[in-house]
Amino acid sequence: MLRSMYSGISGLRNFQTKLDVIGNNIANVNTYGFKKGRTVFKDLISQTVAGASGASATRGGVNPKQVGLGSQIAAIDTIHTGGSTQFTGNTLDLAIAGDGFFQVSDGSEMMYTRAGNFYMDSTGDLVDGDGRYLMGLQGKPSDGTDYVDEGDEEMGLPFDPDDYTYGKIQIPKTASSMSIGQDGTVYFVDTTQAGKDAIAAEELLFRPQEATLKAAIKGAEVALKADPEDQGLKDALKTTQDNYDLAKLPLDQAITDNKAVLQVAGKLQIATFSNPGGLDKVGGNYFRVSANSGEGNPGFALDQGFGKMESGFLEMSNVDLAEEFTEMIVAQRGFQANTRIITTSDEILQELVNLKR
């Protein structure tokens, strides 16, 4: 009787653990990038009442007689299937369609996450909700203000590693807009203050001449309209127009040279693992490398073996409520059945005690 009672107790413990895992899954049904857990059972050691015997010339073989002593937890797996994506329209909301984890760091430890709700802080660095830096390759500023130019906008391999540095991704404060490609390249549009100053300086030189030259052009046009065949008037109009264009040329050139152009701030790097199920969950949507996960394999979205990056989307939890509620019912009934074993064993023991009466 005690044997069956303790078997029931082991079942109660295991189904309680299963309910704990289910409860955590349901609690995180709307957590971005959350990966559900799964509880797996295995049996405990069995007590051998009689061993097996082989066949002989006069008698067949006999199987062993064993009584199991209950169950135990075999594993609590993390299921890394992809969750559905939700459109947000926010450029810094990122989802990885396929394999890979975002890499974030606080300067002392690298963490990995599938939650792609990122932000830009006051210094232009891309960070997550806890202020950890989003990591990748960043264009080295050549003079403190300029970033990698449009000629390297694809940043595809092979590229000159001297042009880039690994670390946090930073957008200059003068950027007017930004976008992120499916390969993780971070683009921005920027008109520097130096460019604005150059345009303003040329405007100061041109504007005083503009009204005078436009008035001269207007006068020449009126005179030519009165006498369209006068070659002298035609030449005068052309000379006046050329003078206007010549005076305006430095301003046009300044605007052309300093117009807002697409530039590259860097390229987000993601990591894959040979055994993502071996990563440690540490809370806050973070995973940490463990002894059984293997070291991270860094790379870029769209590379072979890596997923693509979607800007303006977030990956939702991969928890399926219908599945979780079904598992909850099974766990509840399993828990209930094990309590019946304990209750029944107790009643039999009570009958044995009553034999003395």
Side-chain angles (χ1 to χ4, degrees), residues 316-338:
M316 301 298 291
S317 166
N318 66 350
V319 173
D320 182 342
L321 278 179
E323 178 185 352
E324 296 303 320
F325 281 125
T326 301
E327 289 295 320
M328 183 189 298
I329 293 171
V330 172
Q332 180 184 6
R333 293 307 182 192
F335 189 95
Q336 187 178 40
N338 279 274

Side-chain angles (χ1 to χ4, degrees), residues 20 77 100 129 159 225 286:
D20 291 341
D77 300 325
F159 60 84
K225 187 175 183 180
Y286 297 127

